[in-house]
Coordinates of all heavy atoms in Angstrom, one line a residue:
T94 N 48.0 106.0 90.6 CA 47.7 107.4 91.1 C 48.9 108.3 91.0 O 49.0 109.3 91.5 CB 47.2 107.3 92.6 OG1 48.2 106.5 93.3 CG2 45.9 106.7 92.7
V95 N 50.0 107.8 90.3 CA 51.2 108.6 90.2 C 51.6 108.7 88.7 O 51.6 107.7 88.0 CB 52.4 107.9 90.9 CG1 53.7 108.7 90.7 CG2 52.1 107.9 92.4
K96 N 51.8 109.9 88.3 CA 52.3 110.1 86.9 C 53.8 109.9 86.8 O 54.5 110.0 87.8 CB 51.9 111.5 86.4 CG 50.5 111.8 86.3 CD 50.2 113.2 85.8 CE 48.8 113.6 85.9 NZ 48.6 114.8 86.8
D97 N 54.2 109.5 85.6 CA 55.6 109.2 85.4 C 56.5 110.3 86.0 O 57.5 110.0 86.7 CB 55.9 109.1 83.9 CG 55.4 107.7 83.4 OD1 54.9 106.9 84.2 OD2 55.5 107.5 82.2
E98 N 56.2 111.5 85.6 CA 57.1 112.6 86.1 C 57.1 112.8 87.6 O 58.0 113.3 88.2 CB 56.8 113.9 85.3 CG 55.5 114.6 85.6 CD 54.4 114.1 84.6 OE1 54.6 113.0 84.0 OE2 53.4 114.8 84.4
E99 N 56.0 112.4 88.2 CA 55.8 112.6 89.6 C 56.7 111.6 90.4 O 57.2 111.8 91.5 CB 54.4 112.4 90.1 CG 53.5 113.6 89.7 CD 52.1 113.3 90.1 OE1 51.6 112.2 90.1 OE2 51.4 114.3 90.4
L100 N 56.9 110.4 89.7 CA 57.7 109.4 90.4 C 59.1 109.9 90.8 O 59.6 109.5 91.8 CB 57.9 108.2 89.3 CG 58.0 106.8 89.9 CD1 56.9 106.4 90.8 CD2 58.1 105.8 88.7
F101 N 59.6 110.8 90.0 CA 60.9 111.3 90.4 C 60.9 112.7 91.1 O 61.8 113.1 91.7 CB 61.8 111.4 89.1 CG 62.1 110.1 88.5 CD1 61.5 109.7 87.3 CD2 63.0 109.2 89.1 CE1 61.7 108.5 86.8 CE2 63.2 108.0 88.6 CZ 62.6 107.6 87.4
G102 N 59.7 113.4 90.8 CA 59.6 114.8 91.3 C 59.1 114.9 92.8 O 59.5 115.8 93.5
L103 N 58.3 113.9 93.2 CA 57.7 114.0 94.5 C 58.6 113.5 95.6 O 59.4 112.6 95.4 CB 56.4 113.2 94.5 CG 55.2 113.7 93.7 CD1 54.1 112.6 93.8 CD2 54.7 115.0 94.3
P104 N 58.4 114.1 96.8 CA 59.2 113.6 97.9 C 58.8 112.1 98.2 O 57.7 111.7 97.9 CB 58.8 114.4 99.1 CG 58.1 115.6 98.5 CD 57.6 115.2 97.2
A105 N 59.7 111.3 98.7 CA 59.5 109.9 98.9 C 58.3 109.6 99.8 O 57.5 108.7 99.5 CB 60.8 109.2 99.6
E106 N 58.1 110.4 100.8 CA 57.0 110.2 101.7 C 55.7 110.4 101.0 O 54.7 109.7 101.2 CB 57.1 111.1 103.0 CG 58.1 110.6 104.0 CD 59.5 111.1 103.7 OE1 59.7 111.7 102.6 OE2 60.4 110.9 104.6
E107 N 55.6 111.4 100.2 CA 54.4 111.8 99.5 C 54.1 110.6 98.5 O 52.9 110.2 98.4 CB 54.7 113.1 98.7 CG 53.6 113.4 97.7 CD 52.4 114.1 98.3 OE1 52.5 114.7 99.4 OE2 51.3 114.1 97.6
L108 N 55.1 110.1 97.8 CA 54.9 109.0 96.9 C 54.4 107.8 97.6 O 53.4 107.1 97.2 CB 56.3 108.6 96.3 CG 56.6 109.1 94.9 CD1 57.9 108.6 94.5 CD2 55.5 108.8 93.9
L109 N 55.0 107.5 98.8 CA 54.5 106.3 99.5 C 53.1 106.4 99.9 O 52.3 105.5 99.8 CB 55.4 106.2 100.8 CG 56.7 105.5 100.7 CD1 57.5 105.6 102.0 CD2 56.6 104.0 100.3
Y110 N 52.7 107.6 100.3 CA 51.3 107.9 100.7 C 50.4 107.7 99.5 O 49.4 107.0 99.6 CB 51.2 109.3 101.3 CG 49.7 109.5 101.7 CD1 49.2 109.0 102.9 CD2 48.9 110.3 100.9 CE1 47.9 109.2 103.2 CE2 47.5 110.5 101.2 CZ 47.0 109.9 102.4 OH 45.7 110.1 102.7
R111 N 50.7 108.2 98.4 CA 49.9 108.1 97.2 C 49.7 106.7 96.8 O 48.7 106.3 96.3 CB 50.5 108.9 96.1 CG 50.5 110.4 96.3 CD 49.8 111.1 95.2 NE 50.2 112.4 95.1 CZ 50.3 113.1 94.0 NH1 50.1 112.5 92.9 NH2 50.7 114.4 94.1
L112 N 50.8 105.9 96.8 CA 50.8 104.6 96.3 C 50.2 103.6 97.3 O 49.5 102.6 97.0 CB 52.2 104.1 95.9 CG 52.8 104.8 94.7 CD1 54.2 104.5 94.6 CD2 52.0 104.5 93.4
Y113 N 50.5 103.8 98.6 CA 50.1 102.8 99.6 C 49.3 103.3 100.7 O 49.3 102.7 101.8 CB 51.4 102.1 100.2 CG 52.3 101.5 99.1 CD1 53.5 102.1 98.8 CD2 51.9 100.3 98.5 CE1 54.3 101.6 97.8 CE2 52.7 99.8 97.5 CZ 53.9 100.4 97.2 OH 54.7 99.8 96.2
H114 N 48.5 104.4 100.5 CA 47.8 105.0 101.6 C 46.7 104.1 102.2 O 46.2 104.3 103.3 CB 47.2 106.3 101.3 CG 46.1 106.3 100.3 ND1 44.8 106.2 100.6 CD2 46.2 106.3 98.9 CE1 44.1 106.2 99.5 NE2 44.9 106.2 98.5
E115 N 46.4 103.0 101.5 CA 45.4 102.1 102.1 C 46.1 101.1 103.1 O 45.4 100.5 103.9 CB 44.7 101.2 101.0 CG 43.6 102.0 100.3 CD 43.4 101.5 98.9 OE1 43.8 100.4 98.6 OE2 42.8 102.3 98.1
E116 N 47.4 101.2 103.1 CA 48.1 100.3 104.1 C 48.8 101.2 105.0 O 49.0 102.4 104.8 CB 49.1 99.4 103.3 CG 48.3 98.6 102.3 CD 49.2 97.6 101.6 OE1 50.2 97.1 102.2 OE2 48.9 97.3 100.4
V117 N 49.3 100.6 106.1 CA 50.1 101.4 107.1 C 51.5 101.5 106.6 O 52.1 100.4 106.3 CB 50.0 100.7 108.5 CG1 50.9 101.5 109.4 CG2 48.6 100.6 108.9
V118 N 51.9 102.7 106.4 CA 53.3 102.8 105.9 C 54.2 103.4 107.0 O 53.8 104.4 107.6 CB 53.3 103.7 104.6 CG1 54.8 104.0 104.2 CG2 52.6 103.1 103.5
E119 N 55.3 102.8 107.2 CA 56.2 103.3 108.2 C 57.5 103.6 107.5 O 58.1 102.8 106.8 CB 56.4 102.3 109.3 CG 57.1 102.8 110.5 CD 57.2 101.8 111.6 OE1 56.5 100.8 111.5 OE2 57.9 102.1 112.6
V120 N 58.0 104.8 107.7 CA 59.3 105.2 107.1 C 60.3 105.2 108.2 O 60.2 105.9 109.3 CB 59.2 106.6 106.5 CG1 60.5 107.0 105.9 CG2 58.1 106.6 105.4
F121 N 61.3 104.5 108.1 CA 62.4 104.4 109.1 C 63.4 105.5 108.8 O 63.6 106.0 107.7 CB 63.1 103.0 109.0 CG 62.1 101.9 109.4 CD1 61.4 101.2 108.5 CD2 62.0 101.6 110.8 CE1 60.6 100.2 108.8 CE2 61.1 100.6 111.1 CZ 60.4 99.9 110.2
E122 N 64.1 105.8 109.9 CA 65.2 106.7 109.8 C 66.3 106.2 108.8 O 66.5 105.0 108.8 CB 65.9 106.9 111.1 CG 65.1 107.7 112.1 CD 65.0 109.2 111.7 OE1 66.0 109.8 111.4 OE2 63.8 109.7 111.7
P123 N 66.8 107.1 108.0 CA 67.8 106.5 107.0 C 69.0 106.0 107.8 O 69.4 106.5 108.8 CB 68.3 107.8 106.3 CG 67.3 108.8 106.5 CD 66.6 108.5 107.8
Q124 N 69.6 104.9 107.3 CA 70.7 104.3 107.9 C 71.9 104.2 106.9 O 71.6 104.0 105.7 CB 70.4 102.9 108.4 CG 69.5 102.9 109.7 CD 69.3 101.4 110.2 OE1 69.7 100.5 109.5 NE2 68.8 101.3 111.4
T125 N 73.0 104.4 107.4 CA 74.2 104.2 106.5 C 74.4 102.8 106.2 O 74.4 102.0 107.1 CB 75.5 104.8 107.2 OG1 75.2 106.1 107.7 CG2 76.6 104.9 106.2
V126 N 74.5 102.5 105.0 CA 74.7 101.1 104.6 C 76.2 100.8 104.4 O 76.9 101.6 103.7 CB 74.0 100.7 103.3 CG1 74.3 99.3 102.8 CG2 72.5 101.0 103.4
S127 N 76.7 99.8 105.0 CA 78.1 99.5 104.8 C 78.3 98.1 104.6 O 77.5 97.2 105.0 CB 79.0 100.0 106.0 OG 78.6 99.3 107.1
F128 N 79.3 97.7 103.8 CA 79.6 96.4 103.5 C 80.8 95.9 104.3 O 81.8 96.5 104.4 CB 80.0 96.2 102.0 CG 80.4 94.8 101.6 CD1 79.4 93.9 101.4 CD2 81.7 94.5 101.4 CE1 79.8 92.6 101.1 CE2 82.1 93.3 101.1 CZ 81.1 92.3 100.9
F129 N 80.5 94.7 105.0 CA 81.6 94.2 105.7 C 81.8 92.7 105.4 O 80.8 91.9 105.4 CB 81.3 94.3 107.2 CG 82.3 93.6 108.1 CD1 83.6 94.1 108.2 CD2 82.0 92.4 108.7 CE1 84.5 93.4 109.0 CE2 82.9 91.7 109.5 CZ 84.2 92.2 109.7
C130 N 83.0 92.3 105.1 CA 83.2 90.9 104.7 C 84.0 90.3 105.9 O 85.0 90.9 106.3 CB 83.9 90.8 103.4 SG 84.1 89.1 102.9
G131 N 83.6 89.1 106.3 CA 84.3 88.5 107.4 C 85.5 87.7 107.0 O 86.0 86.9 107.8
C132 N 86.0 87.9 105.8 CA 87.1 87.0 105.3 C 88.4 87.5 106.0 O 88.6 88.6 106.4 CB 87.2 87.0 103.8 SG 87.8 88.6 103.1
S133 N 89.4 86.6 106.0 CA 90.7 86.9 106.6 C 91.7 86.0 106.0 O 91.4 84.9 105.5 CB 90.7 86.8 108.1 OG 90.5 85.4 108.4
P134 N 93.0 86.3 106.1 CA 94.0 85.3 105.7 C 93.9 84.0 106.4 O 94.1 82.9 105.8 CB 95.4 86.0 106.1 CG 95.0 87.4 106.3 CD 93.6 87.5 106.7
E135 N 93.5 84.0 107.7 CA 93.4 82.8 108.4 C 92.2 81.9 107.8 O 92.4 80.7 107.7 CB 93.0 83.1 109.9 CG 94.2 83.7 110.7 CD 94.4 85.1 110.4 OE1 93.5 85.8 109.8 OE2 95.5 85.6 110.7
R136 N 91.1 82.5 107.5 CA 90.0 81.8 106.9 C 90.4 81.2 105.6 O 90.0 80.0 105.3 CB 88.8 82.7 106.8 CG 88.0 82.8 108.1 CD 86.7 83.4 107.8 NE 85.9 83.6 109.0 CZ 84.7 83.8 109.1 NH1 84.0 84.0 108.0 NH2 84.1 84.0 110.3
S137 N 91.0 82.0 104.8 CA 91.4 81.5 103.4 C 92.4 80.4 103.6 O 92.3 79.4 102.9 CB 92.1 82.6 102.6 OG 91.1 83.6 102.3
G138 N 93.3 80.5 104.6 CA 94.3 79.5 104.8 C 93.6 78.2 105.3 O 94.0 77.1 104.8
A139 N 92.6 78.3 106.1 CA 91.9 77.1 106.6 C 91.2 76.4 105.4 O 91.2 75.2 105.4 CB 90.9 77.5 107.7
A140 N 90.7 77.2 104.5 CA 90.0 76.6 103.4 C 91.0 75.9 102.5 O 90.8 74.8 101.9 CB 89.3 77.7 102.6
L141 N 92.2 76.5 102.4 CA 93.2 76.0 101.5 C 93.7 74.6 102.0 O 94.0 73.7 101.3 CB 94.4 76.9 101.5 CG 95.6 76.7 100.5 CD1 95.0 76.7 99.1 CD2 96.6 77.7 100.7
L142 N 93.7 74.5 103.4 CA 94.2 73.2 103.9 C 93.3 72.0 103.7 O 93.6 70.9 104.0 CB 94.5 73.4 105.4 CG 95.7 74.3 105.8 CD1 95.9 74.3 107.3 CD2 96.9 73.9 105.0
L143 N 92.1 72.3 103.3 CA 91.1 71.3 103.0 C 91.5 70.6 101.6 O 91.0 69.5 101.3 CB 89.7 71.8 102.9 CG 89.1 72.5 104.2 CD1 87.8 73.1 103.9 CD2 89.1 71.5 105.3
I144 N 92.3 71.2 100.8 CA 92.7 70.7 99.6 C 93.8 69.7 99.8 O 94.7 70.0 100.6 CB 93.2 71.8 98.6 CG1 92.1 72.8 98.4 CG2 93.6 71.2 97.3 CD1 92.5 74.1 97.7
P145 N 93.8 68.5 99.2 CA 94.8 67.5 99.4 C 96.2 68.0 99.0 O 96.3 68.8 98.1 CB 94.4 66.3 98.4 CG 93.0 66.5 98.2 CD 92.7 68.0 98.3
E146 N 97.2 67.6 99.8 CA 98.6 68.2 99.6 C 99.1 68.0 98.1 O 99.7 69.0 97.6 CB 99.5 67.5 100.5 CG 100.9 68.3 100.6 CD 101.7 67.9 101.8 OE1 101.3 67.0 102.5 OE2 102.8 68.4 101.9
T147 N 98.8 66.9 97.5 CA 99.3 66.7 96.2 C 98.7 67.7 95.2 O 99.4 68.2 94.3 CB 98.9 65.3 95.6 OG1 97.6 65.0 95.9 CG2 99.8 64.2 96.3
E148 N 97.5 68.0 95.5 CA 96.8 69.0 94.6 C 97.4 70.4 94.9 O 97.5 71.2 93.9 CB 95.3 69.0 94.9 CG 94.4 68.8 93.7 CD 93.0 68.6 94.1 OE1 92.6 67.5 94.4 OE2 92.2 69.6 94.0
I149 N 97.6 70.7 96.1 CA 98.2 72.0 96.5 C 99.6 72.2 95.8 O 99.8 73.2 95.2 CB 98.4 72.1 98.0 CG1 97.1 72.3 98.7 CG2 99.4 73.3 98.4 CD1 97.1 72.5 100.2
D150 N 100.4 71.1 95.8 CA 101.7 71.1 95.1 C 101.5 71.4 93.6 O 102.3 72.1 93.0 CB 102.5 69.9 95.4 CG 103.0 69.8 96.8 OD1 103.1 70.9 97.4 OD2 103.3 68.7 97.3
E151 N 100.5 70.7 93.0 CA 100.3 70.9 91.6 C 99.9 72.4 91.3 O 100.4 73.0 90.4 CB 99.1 70.0 91.1 CG 99.5 68.6 90.7 CD 98.3 67.8 90.5 OE1 97.3 68.3 90.0 OE2 98.4 66.6 90.8
I152 N 99.0 72.9 92.2 CA 98.6 74.3 91.9 C 99.8 75.3 92.1 O 100.0 76.2 91.3 CB 97.5 74.8 92.9 CG1 96.3 73.8 92.7 CG2 97.1 76.2 92.7 CD1 95.2 74.0 93.8
L153 N 100.6 75.0 93.1 CA 101.8 75.8 93.3 C 102.8 75.8 92.1 O 103.3 76.8 91.7 CB 102.6 75.3 94.6 CG 102.0 75.7 95.9 CD1 102.7 74.9 97.1 CD2 102.1 77.2 96.2
D154 N 102.9 74.5 91.6 CA 103.8 74.4 90.4 C 103.2 75.2 89.2 O 104.0 75.9 88.5 CB 103.8 72.9 89.9 CG 104.9 72.2 90.8 OD1 105.6 72.8 91.5 OD2 104.9 70.9 90.7
E155 N 101.9 75.1 89.0 CA 101.3 75.8 87.9 C 101.3 77.3 88.0 O 101.2 78.0 87.0 CB 99.8 75.4 87.7 CG 99.6 74.0 87.1 CD 98.2 73.5 87.2 OE1 97.3 74.3 87.3 OE2 98.1 72.2 87.2
H156 N 101.3 77.8 89.3 CA 101.2 79.3 89.5 C 102.4 79.9 90.1 O 102.4 80.7 91.0 CB 100.0 79.6 90.3 CG 98.7 79.2 89.7 ND1 98.1 77.9 89.8 CD2 97.8 79.9 88.8 CE1 97.0 77.8 89.1 NE2 96.8 79.0 88.5
K157 N 103.6 79.4 89.6 CA 104.9 80.0 90.0 C 105.0 80.1 91.5 O 105.5 81.1 92.1 CB 105.0 81.4 89.4 CG 105.1 81.4 87.9 CD 105.0 82.8 87.3 CE 104.9 82.7 85.8 NZ 104.4 84.0 85.2
G158 N 104.6 79.0 92.2 CA 104.9 78.9 93.6 C 104.0 79.7 94.5 O 104.2 79.8 95.7
S159 N 102.9 80.2 94.0 CA 102.0 81.0 94.8 C 100.5 80.7 94.5 O 100.1 80.6 93.4 CB 102.3 82.5 94.6 OG 101.3 83.2 95.3
I160 N 99.8 80.4 95.6 CA 98.3 80.1 95.3 C 97.5 81.4 95.7 O 97.7 82.0 96.7 CB 97.9 79.0 96.2 CG1 98.5 77.7 95.8 CG2 96.3 78.8 96.1 CD1 98.1 76.4 96.6
D161 N 96.7 81.8 94.8 CA 95.9 82.9 95.0 C 94.5 82.5 95.4 O 93.7 81.9 94.6 CB 95.8 83.7 93.6 CG 94.8 84.9 93.7 OD1 94.3 85.2 94.8 OD2 94.6 85.5 92.6
M162 N 94.1 82.8 96.6 CA 92.8 82.5 97.1 C 92.0 83.8 97.1 O 92.3 84.7 97.8 CB 92.8 81.9 98.6 CG 93.6 80.6 98.7 SD 92.6 79.2 98.3 CE 91.5 79.1 99.7
Q163 N 91.0 83.8 96.3 CA 90.2 85.1 96.2 C 88.9 84.9 96.9 O 88.2 83.9 96.7 CB 89.9 85.5 94.8 CG 89.2 86.8 94.7 CD 89.0 87.3 93.2 OE1 89.1 86.5 92.3 NE2 88.7 88.5 93.1
C164 N 88.5 85.8 97.8 CA 87.3 85.8 98.5 C 86.1 86.0 97.5 O 86.1 86.9 96.7 CB 87.2 86.8 99.6 SG 85.6 87.0 100.4
E165 N 85.1 85.1 97.6 CA 84.0 85.2 96.7 C 83.1 86.3 97.0 O 82.3 86.8 96.2 CB 83.2 83.8 96.6 CG 83.9 82.8 95.9 CD 83.2 81.4 96.0 OE1 82.1 81.4 96.5 OE2 83.8 80.4 95.6
C166 N 83.1 86.8 98.2 CA 82.2 87.9 98.6 C 82.8 89.2 98.3 O 82.1 90.0 97.6 CB 82.0 87.8 100.1 SG 81.1 86.4 100.7
C167 N 84.0 89.5 98.7 CA 84.5 90.9 98.5 C 85.7 91.0 97.5 O 86.1 92.1 97.1 CB 85.0 91.4 99.8 SG 86.5 90.7 100.5
G168 N 86.1 89.8 97.0 CA 87.1 89.9 95.9 C 88.6 90.1 96.4 O 89.5 90.2 95.6
T169 N 88.8 90.1 97.7 CA 90.1 90.2 98.2 C 91.0 89.0 97.9 O 90.5 87.9 98.0 CB 90.1 90.4 99.8 OG1 89.3 91.5 100.1 CG2 91.5 90.6 100.4
H170 N 92.2 89.3 97.5 CA 93.1 88.2 97.2 C 94.0 87.8 98.4 O 94.5 88.7 99.0 CB 94.0 88.6 96.0 CG 93.3 88.6 94.7 ND1 93.2 87.6 93.8 CD2 92.6 89.7 94.1 CE1 92.5 88.0 92.8 NE2 92.1 89.2 92.9
Y171 N 94.2 86.6 98.6 CA 95.1 86.1 99.6 C 96.1 85.2 99.0 O 95.7 84.2 98.3 CB 94.4 85.4 100.8 CG 93.5 86.3 101.5 CD1 92.1 86.3 101.3 CD2 93.9 87.2 102.5 CE1 91.2 87.1 101.9 CE2 93.1 88.0 103.2 CZ 91.7 88.0 102.9 OH 90.8 88.8 103.6
F172 N 97.4 85.5 99.1 CA 98.4 84.7 98.4 C 99.1 83.8 99.4 O 99.5 84.2 100.5 CB 99.4 85.6 97.7 CG 98.7 86.3 96.6 CD1 98.3 87.6 96.8 CD2 98.6 85.7 95.3 CE1 97.7 88.3 95.7 CE2 98.0 86.4 94.3 CZ 97.5 87.7 94.5
F173 N 99.3 82.5 99.0 CA 100.0 81.6 99.9 C 101.1 80.9 99.1 O 100.9 80.4 98.0 CB 99.1 80.5 100.4 CG 98.0 81.1 101.3 CD1 96.8 81.5 100.7 CD2 98.1 81.2 102.6 CE1 95.8 82.0 101.5 CE2 97.1 81.7 103.4 CZ 95.9 82.1 102.9
N174 N 102.3 80.9 99.6 CA 103.4 80.1 98.9 C 103.6 78.9 99.8 O 103.0 78.7 100.8 CB 104.7 81.0 98.7 CG 105.2 81.5 100.1 OD1 104.9 81.0 101.1 ND2 106.0 82.6 100.0
K175 N 104.5 78.1 99.4 CA 104.8 76.8 100.1 C 105.1 77.0 101.6 O 104.6 76.3 102.4 CB 105.9 76.1 99.4 CG 106.2 74.7 99.9 CD 105.2 73.7 99.4 CE 105.4 72.3 100.1 NZ 104.3 71.4 99.7
E176 N 105.9 78.0 101.8 CA 106.3 78.3 103.2 C 105.1 78.7 104.0 O 105.0 78.2 105.2 CB 107.3 79.5 103.1 CG 108.1 79.7 104.4 CD 108.9 81.0 104.4 OE1 109.1 81.5 103.3 OE2 109.2 81.5 105.5
A177 N 104.3 79.6 103.5 CA 103.1 80.0 104.2 C 102.2 78.8 104.5 O 101.6 78.7 105.6 CB 102.3 81.1 103.4
I178 N 102.0 77.9 103.5 CA 101.2 76.8 103.7 C 101.7 75.8 104.8 O 101.0 75.3 105.6 CB 101.0 76.0 102.3 CG1 100.2 76.9 101.4 CG2 100.3 74.7 102.5 CD1 100.3 76.5 99.9
N179 N 103.0 75.7 104.8 CA 103.7 74.8 105.8 C 103.4 75.4 107.2 O 103.1 74.7 108.1 CB 105.2 74.7 105.6 CG 105.4 73.7 104.4 OD1 104.6 72.9 104.1 ND2 106.6 73.9 103.8
K180 N 103.5 76.7 107.3 CA 103.2 77.4 108.6 C 101.8 77.1 109.0 O 101.5 76.9 110.2 CB 103.5 78.9 108.5 CG 104.9 79.3 108.8 CD 105.0 80.8 108.9 CE 106.5 81.2 108.9 NZ 106.6 82.6 108.6
L181 N 100.9 77.2 108.0 CA 99.4 77.0 108.3 C 99.3 75.5 108.9 O 98.5 75.3 109.8 CB 98.6 77.1 107.1 CG 98.3 78.5 106.6 CD1 97.7 78.4 105.2 CD2 97.4 79.3 107.5
K182 N 100.0 74.6 108.3 CA 99.8 73.2 108.7 C 100.4 73.0 110.1 O 99.8 72.3 110.9 CB 100.6 72.3 107.8 CG 99.9 72.0 106.5 CD 100.6 71.1 105.6 CE 99.9 70.9 104.3 NZ 100.8 70.4 103.3
Q183 N 101.5 73.7 110.4 CA 102.0 73.6 111.8 C 101.1 74.2 112.8 O 101.0 73.7 113.9 CB 103.4 74.3 111.8 CG 104.5 73.4 111.1 CD 105.7 74.3 110.8 OE1 105.9 75.4 111.3 NE2 106.6 73.8 109.9
A184 N 100.4 75.2 112.4 CA 99.5 75.9 113.3 C 98.2 75.2 113.6 O 97.5 75.5 114.5 CB 99.2 77.3 112.8
Q185 N 98.0 74.2 112.8 CA 96.7 73.4 112.9 C 96.6 72.7 114.2 O 97.6 72.1 114.7 CB 96.6 72.5 111.7 CG 95.5 72.9 110.8 CD 95.3 71.9 109.7 OE1 96.1 71.0 109.4 NE2 94.1 71.9 109.1
Ligands
LIG137 ZN1 86.0 88.8 101.7

């Protein structure tokens, strides 16, 4: 019941009515969408400590003394050197 050009030309509510008027359609107030990632240096550090120490040392050697932990959700990089890792261990 909608022509191609109407898909873009009609107001959203009008479109919804045309397409789904046999069903109950409820339009919610627009909400601002924001992205929030719960990552932190502490969380990355905790994940890092799950790696065996020998492996950590190997990674440190390969990467000029710094481990780059990147959050898979938001892409933030957290860097840890040997000193930072030792501090994490002491804080455990
Ligand atoms: Zn993140």
Side-chain angles (χ1 to χ4, degrees):
T94 52
V95 175
K96 294 181 190 122
D97 284 355
E98 64 269 23
E99 287 177 330
L100 210 52
F101 296 105
L103 288 173
E106 284 84 354
E107 169 84 23
L108 261 184
L109 278 172
Y110 179 77
R111 292 236 202 145
L112 292 170
Y113 302 108
H114 66 93
E115 279 153 19
E116 305 184 29
V117 179
V118 174
E119 191 173 352
V120 178
F121 294 95
E122 286 294 309
Q124 286 185 347
T125 312
V126 178
S127 61
F128 174 77
F129 173 74
C130 186
C132 72
S133 68
E135 290 76 18
R136 280 197 180 189
S137 290
L141 189 60
L142 292 184
L143 299 176
I144 303 171
E146 190 165 5
T147 49
E148 235 172 276
I149 287 184
D150 286 339
E151 274 172 33
I152 302 170
L153 283 171
D154 279 349
E155 280 169 28
H156 296 89
K157 296 171 186 162
S159 174
I160 294 181
D161 174 7
M162 297 279 287
Q163 186 177 16
C164 173
E165 284 174 12
C166 292
C167 69
T169 302
H170 289 268
Y171 297 98
F172 294 96
F173 298 89
N174 58 20
K175 186 80 188 171
E176 192 190 341
I178 293 165
N179 285 338
K180 270 188 194 164
L181 285 171
K182 281 185 186 161
Q183 284 162 17
Q185 251 186 339

